[in-house]
Amino acid sequence: TGPAPAHLRAVGHPAGKVFIGGLSWETTDEGMRDYFSQFGTVVDAVVIRDRNTDRSRGFGFVVFTTPEAAIAACSPGVHQI
C-alpha cells in the first residue's frame, strides 16, 4: 500500500500558506518542497514534528510566494507526496 493522500486547505496567509494533513510518517520537508514546487515557488515547507520524539505529527504547512500557487495546490484531486 502507498502513502495516504494528503489533505490540503488554504489557511489565509497573504503569501499563500497551505495546511497539509494526512502525511505519511516518512514525509520530509524536502519531499514536500519538491512535490509542491510544481504549483509555484515554495518559500517554506515544514512537516510538524513532536518535540520529544522528533516523529512527524502527520501534518505540515507549505508557503508559496503567491496566493494563486496556493489555490492551484488546493485543486481537487489526490496528492501523493
Side-chain angles (χ1 to χ4, degrees), residues 48-61:
I48 303 302
R49 301 191 168 281
D50 182 277
R51 289 184 196 144
N52 297 320
T53 66
D54 199 40
R55 181 178 176 201
S56 168
R57 293 183 58 198
F59 69 95
F61 296 92

Side-chain angles (χ1 to χ4, degrees), residues 2-78:
H7 304 284
L8 312 176
R9 179 169 56 95
V11 292
H13 188 278
K17 187 173 187 177
V18 179
F19 167 82
I20 314 295
L23 292 175
S24 162
W25 302 124
E26 292 81 30
T27 302
T28 64
D29 296 352
E30 296 79 21
M32 280 206 320
R33 178 181 296 276
D34 290 346
Y35 177 81
F36 284 103
S37 65
Q38 68 183 300
F39 301 104
T41 303
V42 174
V43 175
D44 193 24
V46 62
V47 174
I48 303 302
R49 301 191 168 281
D50 182 277
R51 289 184 196 144
N52 297 320
T53 66
D54 199 40
R55 181 178 176 201
S56 168
R57 293 183 58 198
F59 69 95
F61 296 92
V62 175
V63 179
F64 293 96
T65 55
T66 66
E68 292 78 18
I71 291 166
C74 292
S75 63
V78 175

